[in-house]
Amino acid sequence: MDAIKKLRDFYAMKPGSPFVLREFGFFSLDRWIAEGYLRPYDKVEGDYGAYLEDTFGFDKDTTFDIHTLGWCEAAFDPYFEEVQVEDQGDSEIIRDFAGRNVRYFKGRRSGYMPEYLTAPVTDAESWERDVRWRLDPSSPHRLEECVRIRDQAAAAAKQGRWIVQKIIGGYMYLRSLMGPETLLYMFYDDPSLVHSCMRTWLDLADRMTEFMQQRVTFDEVFFGEDICYNHGPLISPDMMKEFLFPYYQQLLQNIRRRQQKRESHPLHVQVDTDGFCWPVIDLYREAIGVDYFSPFEAASGCDIVESARRWPDLRMSGGMDKRVLAGTKEEIDRYLDGILPALHERGGYIPTCDHGVPEEVPFENYLHFRERIREYS
């Protein structure tokens, strides 16, 4: 079946439509390469993602993501220069590209959670001196890069691909600027600074999306938010309503007004939030019209079948408990038999792990997992 049609059937929430075949991500590739199941990165010609598509039978990627407005970190231009702040023997403290001091194991930057020590914004002075100017929408380099991406997006739209404008969410943005703990104090101690940061976020996002929309109609706006942890949201609903939603509302109002093909391209809004997201779903839906949430972390209690029952018109992806994949094939079968039939009948669901596939998952188990999903595709 045509991959573009499958994706559009997902957004149309067509009951019984074939599942879109994709994965959230992988932390298991190095193990599978070492065990001889996958080719090493340097032995694959072209895009390694395309190689994985062929290996696991994923659908051809039919989306075009516009990455001009950050994701887990703010869209600085220029980024901070990365420098070693301190050598600590087996570890080192690095000032990273986002201006944070981070403790890493020497020679290892991925596969574990580093320790974030400081963030670039500590007060109004550091915001103005070190950060705000890096978010200038008229930066020549930024505009040059946006022209290149806009041309690519326009060509992708002509091919019928799904156009997604990705944007760092307000909470993720503020957290990357100040750090999670300092931010909580700033909401009370210096709300004017938080609003200044958010006005800058809005100005940059509005200017860049306006630039893109001169040639491209968005199918989706996708906010990287990560606003929840394992028991619920990291900030209160009142904080969301004061510091986040007004800026989202203005941005989305402007984007919707600028859409050139409104009838044929209804705008979808997705939020990526980790943790137990149930308490925020209605908040985001009512405030800004979110109609798609991901990745529904099973380990935090986001049962994907119960989520579908509670919000029958909500598009969803993720929700597959990656821990089950480390068990037996019989355990995987029992788990999937309780999920796939109901969600296939409902529609509006893309089955992926609730985060990257962990390295504990055997390659044969993952192949079995994908084969079971493919039965519905």
Side-chain angles (χ1 to χ4, degrees):
M1 186 178 185
D2 180 79
I4 292 177
K5 184 179 187 309
K6 286 176 69 174
L7 185 66
R8 293 187 181 276
D9 283 348
F10 157 74
Y11 280 95
M13 299 195 68
K14 184 178 178 180
S17 61
F19 285 139
V20 173
L21 300 176
R22 63 171 59 160
E23 188 51 85
F24 184 93
F26 297 93
F27 296 113
S28 51
L29 298 183
D30 288 343
R31 172 189 170 178
W32 294 346
I33 291 170
E35 292 174 344
Y37 292 110
L38 296 176
R39 297 178 194 168
Y41 302 108
D42 60 355
K43 300 299 182 183
V44 172
E45 293 185 7
D47 180 35
Y48 202 82
Y51 165 65
L52 294 178
E53 283 182 7
D54 292 338
T55 300
F56 297 123
F58 295 154
D59 290 322
K60 180 177 175 58
D61 187 6
T62 55
T63 64
F64 183 90
D65 293 337
I66 300 174
H67 287 282
T68 55
L69 288 168
W71 191 246
C72 293
E73 293 84 21
F76 292 149
D77 185 22
Y79 287 111
F80 285 81
E81 180 183 0
E82 185 173 296
V83 295
Q84 185 187 69
V85 176
E86 184 178 346
D87 186 328
Q88 297 186 324
D90 293 338
S91 62
E92 59 183 344
I93 297 176
I94 300 294
R95 187 188 70 185
D96 73 0
F97 68 97
R100 303 167 299 198
N101 282 1
V102 188
R103 181 181 287 118
Y104 294 102
F105 291 119
K106 276 188 179 175
R108 186 180 177 195
R109 296 291 180 88
S110 62
Y112 71 100
M113 178 63 73
E115 184 179 1
Y116 292 87
L117 303 174
T118 64
V121 176
T122 57
D123 52 25
E125 181 181 357
S126 59
W127 162 242
E128 295 290 344
R129 182 188 65 235
D130 300 328
V131 176
R132 187 175 187 172
W133 59 274
R134 299 177 190 271
L135 297 164
D136 180 3
S138 61
S139 157
H141 177 265
R142 187 191 302 279
L143 293 175
E144 179 182 342
E145 183 70 4
C146 285
V147 168
R148 181 184 67 83
I149 294 173
R150 185 179 66 177
D151 290 345
Q152 293 176 347
K158 289 181 179 179
Q159 298 168 359
R161 295 175 68 180
W162 192 263
I163 308 301
V164 181
Q165 173 67 66
K166 302 186 82 169
I167 305 174
I168 184 172
Y171 172 74
M172 182 84 88
Y173 160 81
L174 292 169
R175 188 175 70 182
S176 74
L177 296 184
M178 302 180 188
E181 184 176 349
T182 298
L183 173 59
L184 296 179
Y185 284 103
M186 288 293 186
F187 285 135
Y188 292 97
D189 295 341
D190 198 349
S192 62
L193 174 59
V194 178
H195 281 295
S196 177
C197 294
M198 286 304 300
R199 285 193 296 271
T200 301
W201 175 92
L202 173 60
D203 183 48
L204 177 61
D206 193 42
R207 296 272 294 277
M208 291 300 97
T209 53
E210 180 182 24
F211 185 80
M212 290 292 163
Q213 287 180 287
Q214 291 172 4
R215 292 196 60 196
V216 176
T217 297
F218 298 144
D219 292 295
E220 180 179 327
V221 171
F222 188 1
F223 293 108
E225 192 72 291
D226 283 10
I227 201 167
C228 296
Y229 73 123
N230 63 335
H231 293 303
L234 288 157
I235 63 176
S236 71
D238 286 345
M239 289 176 178
M240 297 176 203
K241 293 173 183 177
E242 178 178 352
F243 296 103
L244 303 183
F245 292 160
Y247 301 97
Y248 287 172
Q249 288 164 350
Q250 185 63 62
L251 175 63
L252 289 170
Q253 177 182 321
N254 293 351
I255 288 174
R256 289 188 173 104
R257 175 174 45 81
R258 293 191 294 256
Q259 287 281 82
Q260 297 181 32
K261 302 176 182 177
R262 300 181 194 180
E263 294 186 4
S264 60
H265 291 67
L267 186 70
H268 296 276
V269 181
Q270 182 181 176
V271 166
D272 171 9
T273 177
D274 291 351
F276 184 60
C277 66
W278 283 2
V280 306
I281 290 177
D282 288 334
L283 286 167
Y284 275 81
R285 296 190 78 188
E286 293 168 7
I288 60 172
V290 173
D291 59 4
Y292 183 0
F293 270 86
S294 63
F296 285 90
E297 285 198 70
S300 297
C302 287
D303 181 287
I304 196 67
V305 175
E306 178 61 19
S307 299
R309 187 192 68 79
R310 292 186 180 212
W311 293 280
D313 59 343
L314 184 67
R315 293 150 192 84
M316 307 182 302
S317 60
M320 292 287 178
D321 192 337
K322 54 191 176 293
R323 299 168 299 181
V324 174
L325 304 189
T328 66
K329 291 180 181 178
E330 291 74 20
E331 290 170 333
I332 294 172
D333 284 342
R334 286 195 297 271
Y335 178 72
L336 295 180
D337 287 343
I339 293 177
L340 297 180
L343 292 177
H344 179 253
E345 181 180 353
R346 170 191 184 267
Y349 174 64
I350 298 177
T352 74
C353 287
D354 57 4
H355 261 87
V357 181
E359 62 180 1
E360 293 82 5
V361 175
F363 184 78
E364 299 92 335
N365 280 19
Y366 187 71
L367 283 183
H368 182 75
F369 169 68
R370 296 309 318 183
E371 181 59 35
R372 288 299 318 278
I373 294 173
R374 197 154 43 245
E375 293 173 4
Y376 295 85
S377 298

